[in-house]
Amino acid sequence: MSRLFTPITLRGTTLPNRVWVSPMCQYSCDPVAAPGVPNDWHLVHLGGLAVGGAGLVLTEAAAVLPEGRISPYDAGLWNDEQARAWARVVDFVHGQGAAAGVQLAHAGRKASTHRPWDERSGTVPAAEGGWETVGPSALPHGDLAVPRELDAEGIAAVVRAFAEAARRADAAGFDVVELHAAHGYLLHQFLSPLSNQRTDAHGGSFENRVRLLLEVLDAVRAVWPADKPVLVRISTSDWVEGGWDVEQSIALARELAAHGADLVDASSGGNDPRQEIPVGPGYQVPNAGRVRREAGVPVAAVGLILEPAQAEQVLVSGEADAVLLARPLLADPRWPQRAAVALHAAREVPWPAQYARATRDPVPLARPFPRPGVDGAS
């Protein structure tokens, strides 16, 4: 049996397979009429990925506070209107046999930016709907605005906001929450000595720099049902000398497990424009494998995992317990179903009755998988 299409149980929640949808920001909320509220785009986008056979469908980063959005167009979970809108998406995902997860996030000093396709850089000015950003220290990221350093009250407010968002996620019916502590956003900013130059209890030593993430995890775990898992996405390396690295990630993973995290989602980068990332197929998998082996915790791998055989080997070799896909799923939402055919596990990923006729036509299932830089995948 294919390892990729074997169920996995975390706490009391069983996920039907190990092909998971990586969080992908869509920048598609209405920033004026319905700030942070997911809409039909999110329903169709995430619902289509559930129809395609993914075992866990994770939402894009949902901001826990308005000022925690990456852009004015980002989704959120800081109020009940947003929770009700997410519940509609969750219900549809569940109806396709997939589990639904939400990534809770705060962008920190990388907030209030333009959408990627707007072809504008820098911080969105207040006159255009932007806001003051915050961070662990008054250090900007690249050409973005200098953030306001969070004081003790501000830090406590962030912790409370994550917990309240988790409460709403449970009310909306989500099976999984993931804390976003990667890619240079607020929780990662506190972890890395490149962005955290505080001299109080939240800065300096490793123990102090990981404190905020553990406080957030404790607060979320206290309100999140005991039978539902909490995932934590981390960047295993800043790819900058003197920054956050895989050795610190291993130590952090042990702490996360001790505080109730159930799986580490191992990504990398995003915190410093000087990063030099050795991008290539599966380039983040070795760090994921080290975290899994040396910390002894379940791990998911992500990053240029494109082919079914490649994904299968990541799991069979013991480098990870699950894989997360992003751009390959954008290029082909049916990737899980076609991968199951390629790995002789087609019965493990049933097609919806409405689409079953496609399984009787060999042409769609025989189509090559997306190639990076050729078929829209990367």
Side-chain angles (χ1 to χ4, degrees), residues 317-344:
S317 65
E319 297 288 85
D321 299 276
V323 297
L324 293 114
L325 306 182
R327 297 183 210 189
L329 288 176
L330 295 182
D332 182 6
R334 302 284 175 267
W335 194 102
Q337 287 158 337
R338 295 198 303 110
V341 171
L343 296 172
H344 308 289

Side-chain angles (χ1 to χ4, degrees), residues 31-57:
V32 177
V37 179
N39 51 44
D40 286 350
W41 176 267
H42 301 86
L43 173 66
V44 173
H45 165 62
L46 296 170
L49 296 173
V51 168
L56 171 62
V57 177

Side-chain angles (χ1 to χ4, degrees), residues 101-125:
V102 60
Q103 186 185 67
L104 303 181
H106 191 304
R109 67 178 186 169
K110 291 178 72 176
S112 191
T113 63
H114 298 279
R115 293 179 296 184
W117 56 81
D118 287 341
E119 298 182 352
R120 298 170 66 186
S121 62
T123 301
V124 176

Side-chain angles (χ1 to χ4, degrees), residues 195-257:
S195 45
N196 182 350
Q197 296 184 7
R198 304 174 71 94
T199 58
D200 62 4
H202 286 90
S205 67
F206 170 85
E207 291 74 16
N208 284 353
R209 286 183 282 113
V210 304
R211 190 181 306 278
L212 175 58
L213 175 53
L214 296 181
E215 289 173 341
V216 167
L217 176 55
D218 288 344
V220 167
R221 191 74 267 182
V223 301
W224 187 244
D227 61 342
K228 292 184 179 182
V230 174
L231 317 184
V232 181
R233 171 165 277 195
I234 66 171
S235 282
T236 56
S237 176
D238 283 337
W239 302 112
V240 177
E241 185 175 355
W244 184 260
D245 55 30
V246 67
E247 285 76 18
Q248 294 175 86
S249 296
I250 293 165
L252 172 62
R254 295 191 188 105
E255 291 292 327
L256 293 172

